Amino acid sequence: MRTRSRLARLSGAAGLLLASTAVAVATGAGPAQATVVNVSVAGAFPNQSAVATCPAGEFLAGGGGSVDGGGGDVTLTDIIPNLATQSVTVWAHTNPGGVAGAYNVVAQAICVPGPPPANYQRVTSASGSNADPIKNQVAACPAGTDLLGLGAELRTANGEAFYQRIEPNAALTAGVVTAGAAGGFAGPWELVGYAICATLPANLTGTLVSLTGAANSASPKGQVSAGCPAGALATGVGATVADTATGNVLLTRVTATGAQNNAQAIAFEDGVYLPPWDLESHVICWGP
């Protein structure tokens, strides 16, 4: 568990709890509840997308996404936060040579009641389009702001590049994304990292909670992070595959769990990858 403190306050965040309903609830004299919105779209297309939007009166803090079905032949390619529409767009694409059949793409928006904090913004870091087999991008929050959530995008790879990590940094000031080209892919592609940042003037504590599973050759792997500290609010999620497996293992899930105080990741080998590898899941928590 990694923890950092600073003068910070999410709008109305102290005492908020996440609920798995898609409707924000005010429970009388009790605290309002934050919302995690999940939208699923079914299809059997080479690529498919879904969009999840925060309800009125809430702001987007972070996002996640998953591929349900597909048998490891569909990779998660985009988790794109849009602050103008308060939504998250998730794309998935079949792998080269994969025969996925029907699968669902799930977009997840993690939302917080009230107006956005000061200096609320999305930071973008793009690699540019080239044929480099491994790309790494850091979307750094401006000075005086903190990381709430993050996202990533693979452009023009068409299912032939895989994320190695979509990861908050330990200081909760940047989102770091790394991806590698699948074996045999030498075309141009682009990696984009996103960070949702804001100035949080009060006294919350930011905590990055991460948990790594066993290193072995089993596929698929699933990993759930440890939970947020009591009273803290989960605002963003991430996942990391062992760097030795870059380009050979693909992420199919990076989401908040039903309890909404931790994160879940799932990854598959692309074909048969014999060396051992591990999977780590991350959740960003803010609380008093």
Side-chain angles (χ1 to χ4, degrees):
M1 181 184 295
R2 306 178 183 96
T3 303
R4 68 183 298 267
S5 301
R6 70 178 288 113
L7 294 178
R9 181 181 177 87
L10 287 175
S11 175
L16 293 181
L17 300 174
L18 284 175
S20 56
T21 175
V23 179
V25 179
T27 56
Q33 291 182 320
T35 304
V36 174
V37 180
N38 295 286
V39 175
S40 178
V41 175
F45 308 105
N47 60 327
Q48 182 61 275
S49 66
V51 179
T53 303
C54 290
E58 302 193 24
F59 70 88
L60 181 70
S66 67
V67 177
D68 291 344
D73 287 322
V74 182
T75 186
L76 195 62
T77 62
D78 303 342
I79 302 174
I80 306 172
N82 186 325
L83 303 193
T85 59
Q86 294 294 289
S87 65
V88 175
T89 300
V90 173
W91 282 89
H93 201 293
T94 54
N95 303 340
V99 181
Y103 62 91
N104 286 6
V105 176
V106 179
Q108 185 180 78
I110 302 174
C111 314
V112 176
N119 298 316
Y120 176 65
Q121 61 192 280
R122 186 186 77 174
V123 176
T124 302
S125 176
S127 68
S129 181
N130 57 56
D132 291 348
I134 297 177
K135 295 179 171 66
N136 183 75
Q137 293 301 124
V138 178
C141 292
T145 65
D146 291 294
L147 182 69
L148 298 178
L150 62 161
E153 182 179 1
L154 291 167
R155 296 176 178 169
T156 70
N158 297 321
E160 297 195 78
F162 309 139
Y163 291 113
Q164 182 263 324
R165 62 176 168 171
I166 304 172
E167 181 179 305
N169 72 342
L172 294 183
T173 56
V176 183
V177 294
T178 302
F185 177 57
W189 57 287
E190 185 171 13
L191 175 65
V192 182
Y194 298 104
I196 301 177
C197 311
T199 299
L200 310 173
N203 51 350
L204 297 184
T205 297
T207 306
L208 175 60
V209 181
S210 302
L211 190 63
T212 305
N216 54 47
S217 296
S219 177
K221 285 184 173 68
Q223 185 62 44
V224 177
S225 73
C228 289
L233 176 71
T235 62
V237 293
T240 303
V241 173
D243 57 5
T244 53
T246 302
N248 292 290
V249 172
L250 54 108
L251 287 170
T252 62
R253 178 178 294 272
V254 184
T255 59
T257 60
Q260 308 308 340
N261 69 346
N262 50 14
Q264 182 180 31
I266 296 176
F268 285 77
E269 293 181 357
D270 180 37
V272 179
Y273 176 69
L274 296 177
W277 55 281
D278 58 37
L279 177 63
E280 185 175 19
S281 186
H282 313 281
V283 61
I284 301 170
C285 311
W286 285 97

mmCIF file of all heavy atoms in Angstrom, residues 77-78 124-132 135 137 152-158 161 163 179 185 187-193:
data_model
loop_
_atom_site.group_PDB
_atom_site.id
_atom_site.type_symbol
_atom_site.label_atom_id
_atom_site.label_comp_id
_atom_site.label_asym_id
_atom_site.label_seq_id
_atom_site.Cartn_x
_atom_site.Cartn_y
_atom_site.Cartn_z
ATOM 1 N N THR A 77 -8.434 -2.084 -25.844
ATOM 2 C CA THR A 77 -7.561 -1.131 -26.526
ATOM 3 C C THR A 77 -7.684 0.294 -26.024
ATOM 4 O O THR A 77 -6.695 1.025 -26.027
ATOM 5 C CB THR A 77 -7.815 -1.138 -28.045
ATOM 6 O OG1 THR A 77 -9.166 -0.725 -28.315
ATOM 7 C CG2 THR A 77 -7.579 -2.521 -28.638
ATOM 8 N N ASP A 78 -8.856 0.725 -25.585
ATOM 9 C CA ASP A 78 -9.042 2.129 -25.199
ATOM 10 C C ASP A 78 -9.891 2.241 -23.941
ATOM 11 O O ASP A 78 -10.936 1.585 -23.827
ATOM 12 C CB ASP A 78 -9.748 2.927 -26.299
ATOM 13 C CG ASP A 78 -9.049 2.905 -27.638
ATOM 14 O OD1 ASP A 78 -7.854 2.573 -27.694
ATOM 15 O OD2 ASP A 78 -9.718 3.207 -28.647
ATOM 16 N N THR A 124 -3.201 14.824 -21.402
ATOM 17 C CA THR A 124 -2.971 13.826 -22.451
ATOM 18 C C THR A 124 -1.495 13.769 -22.801
ATOM 19 O O THR A 124 -0.836 14.804 -22.920
ATOM 20 C CB THR A 124 -3.778 14.171 -23.715
ATOM 21 O OG1 THR A 124 -5.169 14.244 -23.380
ATOM 22 C CG2 THR A 124 -3.577 13.128 -24.809
ATOM 23 N N SER A 125 -0.968 12.564 -22.966
ATOM 24 C CA SER A 125 0.416 12.371 -23.395
ATOM 25 C C SER A 125 0.424 11.340 -24.520
ATOM 26 O O SER A 125 0.024 10.188 -24.313
ATOM 27 C CB SER A 125 1.284 11.886 -22.231
ATOM 28 O OG SER A 125 2.599 11.606 -22.662
ATOM 29 N N ALA A 126 0.858 11.756 -25.724
ATOM 30 C CA ALA A 126 0.816 10.887 -26.902
ATOM 31 C C ALA A 126 2.217 10.629 -27.442
ATOM 32 O O ALA A 126 3.063 11.530 -27.471
ATOM 33 C CB ALA A 126 -0.053 11.507 -27.995
ATOM 34 N N SER A 127 2.451 9.414 -27.870
ATOM 35 C CA SER A 127 3.774 9.017 -28.356
ATOM 36 C C SER A 127 4.069 9.492 -29.760
ATOM 37 O O SER A 127 5.227 9.565 -30.169
ATOM 38 C CB SER A 127 3.892 7.486 -28.330
ATOM 39 O OG SER A 127 3.020 6.905 -29.291
ATOM 40 N N GLY A 128 3.017 9.794 -30.531
ATOM 41 C CA GLY A 128 3.188 9.960 -31.970
ATOM 42 C C GLY A 128 3.172 8.586 -32.622
ATOM 43 O O GLY A 128 3.449 7.563 -31.980
ATOM 44 N N SER A 129 2.822 8.550 -33.903
ATOM 45 C CA SER A 129 2.694 7.276 -34.615
ATOM 46 C C SER A 129 4.039 6.858 -35.192
ATOM 47 O O SER A 129 4.643 7.588 -35.984
ATOM 48 C CB SER A 129 1.658 7.405 -35.732
ATOM 49 O OG SER A 129 1.502 6.181 -36.410
ATOM 50 N N ASN A 130 4.509 5.680 -34.788
ATOM 51 C CA ASN A 130 5.755 5.131 -35.315
ATOM 52 C C ASN A 130 5.746 3.626 -35.099
ATOM 53 O O ASN A 130 4.795 3.071 -34.547
ATOM 54 C CB ASN A 130 6.974 5.789 -34.655
ATOM 55 C CG ASN A 130 6.961 5.648 -33.147
ATOM 56 O OD1 ASN A 130 6.896 4.540 -32.616
ATOM 57 N ND2 ASN A 130 7.001 6.781 -32.431
ATOM 58 N N ALA A 131 6.797 2.959 -35.540
ATOM 59 C CA ALA A 131 6.861 1.501 -35.463
ATOM 60 C C ALA A 131 7.679 0.998 -34.276
ATOM 61 O O ALA A 131 8.025 -0.189 -34.228
ATOM 62 C CB ALA A 131 7.430 0.940 -36.759
ATOM 63 N N ASP A 132 7.981 1.867 -33.305
ATOM 64 C CA ASP A 132 8.699 1.397 -32.118
ATOM 65 C C ASP A 132 7.909 0.263 -31.470
ATOM 66 O O ASP A 132 6.705 0.401 -31.214
ATOM 67 C CB ASP A 132 8.875 2.526 -31.115
ATOM 68 C CG ASP A 132 9.839 3.603 -31.604
ATOM 69 O OD1 ASP A 132 10.534 3.349 -32.602
ATOM 70 O OD2 ASP A 132 9.872 4.679 -30.981
ATOM 71 N N LYS A 135 6.265 1.187 -26.293
ATOM 72 C CA LYS A 135 6.053 2.614 -26.056
ATOM 73 C C LYS A 135 5.659 2.840 -24.601
ATOM 74 O O LYS A 135 4.952 2.015 -24.006
ATOM 75 C CB LYS A 135 4.973 3.159 -26.990
ATOM 76 C CG LYS A 135 5.342 3.115 -28.473
ATOM 77 C CD LYS A 135 4.210 3.649 -29.338
ATOM 78 C CE LYS A 135 4.641 3.822 -30.789
ATOM 79 N NZ LYS A 135 4.955 2.554 -31.441
ATOM 80 N N GLN A 137 4.308 6.158 -22.027
ATOM 81 C CA GLN A 137 3.859 7.543 -21.920
ATOM 82 C C GLN A 137 3.485 7.874 -20.483
ATOM 83 O O GLN A 137 2.897 7.036 -19.783
ATOM 84 C CB GLN A 137 2.654 7.795 -22.823
ATOM 85 C CG GLN A 137 2.951 7.711 -24.314
ATOM 86 C CD GLN A 137 4.014 8.680 -24.781
ATOM 87 O OE1 GLN A 137 5.021 8.268 -25.366
ATOM 88 N NE2 GLN A 137 3.814 9.969 -24.528
ATOM 89 N N ALA A 152 -6.198 5.249 -21.148
ATOM 90 C CA ALA A 152 -5.183 4.955 -22.156
ATOM 91 C C ALA A 152 -5.863 4.667 -23.480
ATOM 92 O O ALA A 152 -7.058 4.326 -23.529
ATOM 93 C CB ALA A 152 -4.323 3.776 -21.730
ATOM 94 N N GLU A 153 -5.085 4.778 -24.555
ATOM 95 C CA GLU A 153 -5.618 4.551 -25.895
ATOM 96 C C GLU A 153 -4.513 4.000 -26.798
ATOM 97 O O GLU A 153 -3.383 4.481 -26.778
ATOM 98 C CB GLU A 153 -6.158 5.867 -26.468
ATOM 99 C CG GLU A 153 -6.779 5.758 -27.831
ATOM 100 C CD GLU A 153 -7.321 7.097 -28.338
ATOM 101 O OE1 GLU A 153 -7.188 8.114 -27.612
ATOM 102 O OE2 GLU A 153 -7.863 7.131 -29.456
ATOM 103 N N LEU A 154 -4.856 2.971 -27.577
ATOM 104 C CA LEU A 154 -3.971 2.423 -28.603
ATOM 105 C C LEU A 154 -4.558 2.779 -29.961
ATOM 106 O O LEU A 154 -5.656 2.329 -30.297
ATOM 107 C CB LEU A 154 -3.861 0.903 -28.459
ATOM 108 C CG LEU A 154 -3.113 0.379 -27.234
ATOM 109 C CD1 LEU A 154 -3.352 -1.122 -27.064
ATOM 110 C CD2 LEU A 154 -1.629 0.675 -27.339
ATOM 111 N N ARG A 155 -3.832 3.566 -30.726
ATOM 112 C CA ARG A 155 -4.324 4.021 -32.033
ATOM 113 C C ARG A 155 -3.643 3.268 -33.168
ATOM 114 O O ARG A 155 -2.428 3.107 -33.172
ATOM 115 C CB ARG A 155 -4.078 5.526 -32.197
ATOM 116 C CG ARG A 155 -4.850 6.391 -31.208
ATOM 117 C CD ARG A 155 -4.490 7.861 -31.360
ATOM 118 N NE ARG A 155 -5.256 8.708 -30.443
ATOM 119 C CZ ARG A 155 -5.005 9.995 -30.221
ATOM 120 N NH1 ARG A 155 -3.980 10.591 -30.843
ATOM 121 N NH2 ARG A 155 -5.749 10.690 -29.381
ATOM 122 N N THR A 156 -4.459 2.817 -34.110
ATOM 123 C CA THR A 156 -4.041 2.175 -35.378
ATOM 124 C C THR A 156 -3.273 0.876 -35.181
ATOM 125 O O THR A 156 -2.664 0.379 -36.116
ATOM 126 C CB THR A 156 -3.230 3.128 -36.288
ATOM 127 O OG1 THR A 156 -1.933 3.389 -35.715
ATOM 128 C CG2 THR A 156 -3.973 4.444 -36.516
ATOM 129 N N ALA A 157 -3.317 0.286 -33.999
ATOM 130 C CA ALA A 157 -2.673 -1.015 -33.807
ATOM 131 C C ALA A 157 -3.601 -2.159 -34.196
ATOM 132 O O ALA A 157 -3.140 -3.273 -34.456
ATOM 133 C CB ALA A 157 -2.230 -1.185 -32.360
ATOM 134 N N ASN A 158 -4.915 -1.899 -34.200
ATOM 135 C CA ASN A 158 -5.903 -2.884 -34.666
ATOM 136 C C ASN A 158 -5.752 -4.240 -33.968
ATOM 137 O O ASN A 158 -5.760 -5.299 -34.607
ATOM 138 C CB ASN A 158 -5.824 -3.047 -36.183
ATOM 139 C CG ASN A 158 -6.155 -1.769 -36.926
ATOM 140 O OD1 ASN A 158 -7.061 -1.035 -36.530
ATOM 141 N ND2 ASN A 158 -5.422 -1.479 -37.977
ATOM 142 N N ALA A 161 -1.272 -4.580 -30.576
ATOM 143 C CA ALA A 161 -0.429 -4.068 -29.493
ATOM 144 C C ALA A 161 -1.202 -4.249 -28.195
ATOM 145 O O ALA A 161 -2.431 -4.110 -28.168
ATOM 146 C CB ALA A 161 -0.065 -2.606 -29.714
ATOM 147 N N TYR A 163 -1.402 -3.637 -23.778
ATOM 148 C CA TYR A 163 -0.928 -2.885 -22.617
ATOM 149 C C TYR A 163 -0.095 -3.774 -21.703
ATOM 150 O O TYR A 163 -0.466 -4.903 -21.396
ATOM 151 C CB TYR A 163 -2.104 -2.332 -21.813
ATOM 152 C CG TYR A 163 -2.857 -1.245 -22.517
ATOM 153 C CD1 TYR A 163 -4.173 -1.450 -22.929
ATOM 154 C CD2 TYR A 163 -2.263 -0.016 -22.778
ATOM 155 C CE1 TYR A 163 -4.880 -0.455 -23.585
ATOM 156 C CE2 TYR A 163 -2.964 0.983 -23.433
ATOM 157 C CZ TYR A 163 -4.270 0.759 -23.840
ATOM 158 O OH TYR A 163 -4.954 1.742 -24.491
ATOM 159 N N ALA A 179 2.932 -0.080 -23.519
ATOM 160 C CA ALA A 179 2.345 -1.104 -24.386
ATOM 161 C C ALA A 179 3.411 -1.639 -25.323
ATOM 162 O O ALA A 179 4.395 -0.949 -25.634
ATOM 163 C CB ALA A 179 1.167 -0.545 -25.173
ATOM 164 N N PHE A 185 4.146 -7.912 -35.556
ATOM 165 C CA PHE A 185 3.559 -6.630 -35.968
ATOM 166 C C PHE A 185 4.647 -5.572 -36.014
ATOM 167 O O PHE A 185 5.288 -5.291 -34.997
ATOM 168 C CB PHE A 185 2.460 -6.208 -34.983
ATOM 169 C CG PHE A 185 1.854 -4.866 -35.298
ATOM 170 C CD1 PHE A 185 1.282 -4.612 -36.530
ATOM 171 C CD2 PHE A 185 1.855 -3.855 -34.347
ATOM 172 C CE1 PHE A 185 0.725 -3.374 -36.824
ATOM 173 C CE2 PHE A 185 1.302 -2.616 -34.623
ATOM 174 C CZ PHE A 185 0.736 -2.379 -35.865
ATOM 175 N N GLY A 187 4.063 -2.515 -37.949
ATOM 176 C CA GLY A 187 3.492 -1.298 -38.513
ATOM 177 C C GLY A 187 3.491 -0.150 -37.528
ATOM 178 O O GLY A 187 3.793 -0.314 -36.336
ATOM 179 N N PRO A 188 3.158 1.056 -37.995
ATOM 180 C CA PRO A 188 3.096 2.220 -37.102
ATOM 181 C C PRO A 188 1.853 2.178 -36.220
ATOM 182 O O PRO A 188 0.785 1.729 -36.645
ATOM 183 C CB PRO A 188 3.044 3.405 -38.064
ATOM 184 C CG PRO A 188 2.436 2.845 -39.310
ATOM 185 C CD PRO A 188 2.888 1.418 -39.398
ATOM 186 N N TRP A 189 1.993 2.619 -34.984
ATOM 187 C CA TRP A 189 0.884 2.722 -34.052
ATOM 188 C C TRP A 189 1.231 3.779 -33.019
ATOM 189 O O TRP A 189 2.367 4.236 -32.939
ATOM 190 C CB TRP A 189 0.574 1.379 -33.386
ATOM 191 C CG TRP A 189 1.732 0.747 -32.656
ATOM 192 C CD1 TRP A 189 2.826 0.148 -33.210
ATOM 193 C CD2 TRP A 189 1.923 0.663 -31.244
ATOM 194 N NE1 TRP A 189 3.682 -0.314 -32.241
ATOM 195 C CE2 TRP A 189 3.157 -0.022 -31.016
ATOM 196 C CE3 TRP A 189 1.181 1.062 -30.137
ATOM 197 C CZ2 TRP A 189 3.655 -0.279 -29.738
ATOM 198 C CZ3 TRP A 189 1.672 0.795 -28.857
ATOM 199 C CH2 TRP A 189 2.887 0.133 -28.675
ATOM 200 N N GLU A 190 0.234 4.174 -32.245
ATOM 201 C CA GLU A 190 0.426 5.269 -31.290
ATOM 202 C C GLU A 190 -0.153 4.883 -29.938
ATOM 203 O O GLU A 190 -1.203 4.243 -29.855
ATOM 204 C CB GLU A 190 -0.254 6.540 -31.795
ATOM 205 C CG GLU A 190 -0.023 7.768 -30.932
ATOM 206 C CD GLU A 190 -0.543 9.053 -31.580
ATOM 207 O OE1 GLU A 190 -1.292 8.952 -32.569
ATOM 208 O OE2 GLU A 190 -0.197 10.128 -31.078
ATOM 209 N N LEU A 191 0.540 5.284 -28.880
ATOM 210 C CA LEU A 191 0.084 5.081 -27.503
ATOM 211 C C LEU A 191 -0.239 6.432 -26.880
ATOM 212 O O LEU A 191 0.556 7.376 -26.969
ATOM 213 C CB LEU A 191 1.168 4.383 -26.686
ATOM 214 C CG LEU A 191 0.888 4.203 -25.187
ATOM 215 C CD1 LEU A 191 -0.298 3.273 -24.963
ATOM 216 C CD2 LEU A 191 2.133 3.674 -24.467
ATOM 217 N N VAL A 192 -1.400 6.523 -26.228
ATOM 218 C CA VAL A 192 -1.830 7.759 -25.575
ATOM 219 C C VAL A 192 -2.168 7.450 -24.119
ATOM 220 O O VAL A 192 -2.863 6.469 -23.824
ATOM 221 C CB VAL A 192 -3.063 8.363 -26.271
ATOM 222 C CG1 VAL A 192 -3.460 9.682 -25.603
ATOM 223 C CG2 VAL A 192 -2.798 8.577 -27.756
ATOM 224 N N GLY A 193 -1.657 8.270 -23.216
ATOM 225 C CA GLY A 193 -2.000 8.161 -21.807
ATOM 226 C C GLY A 193 -2.851 9.341 -21.376
ATOM 227 O O GLY A 193 -2.673 10.465 -21.861
#
